Amino acid sequence: QNMPKYPELCVFDLDACLWDKETFELSAPPSSPSHEILGDLNGRGRGVAGVRCGNDVLRLHPGSLLALQGHADGEYPGMKVAL
């Protein structure tokens, strides 16, 4: 069988890797659901696409969202994800 091989574990670094900013550089932490920014989730409906952090906006990188959605869809059998 020619099943693709995937690592057993995929570890995502958060700051400036999974999302687009270093959190220590944000002007404030997100502090309430009213700071959520709703948007398109790669054609899978709308959901939280970012969050306001004072004067900054924190968003997932587009590739990060694709990778997490792929994992949730079972595209990487047996692989675990750590954040």
Side-chain angles (χ1 to χ4, degrees):
Q1 235 175 346
N2 289 334
M3 301 235 355
K5 299 269 184 184
Y6 299 101
E8 291 181 33
L9 177 65
C10 178
V11 179
F12 285 94
D13 185 10
L14 300 178
D15 287 355
C17 292
L18 191 68
W19 47 64
D20 62 353
K21 303 254 190 302
E22 294 280 348
T23 53
F24 75 90
E25 296 177 329
L26 298 173
S27 57
S31 58
S32 75
S34 67
H35 292 156
E36 295 173 352
I37 298 171
L38 300 178
D40 177 63
L41 299 177
N42 293 330
R44 296 176 170 217
R46 292 180 56 79
V48 178
V51 62
R52 287 181 196 82
C53 302
N55 296 325
D56 301 298
V57 173
L58 189 63
R59 295 180 187 276
L60 285 177
H61 285 295
S64 300
L65 179 57
L66 282 172
L68 293 171
Q69 286 174 326
H71 183 265
D73 291 345
E75 292 178 18
Y76 313 108
M79 187 174 73
K80 294 182 173 98
V81 170
L83 303 171

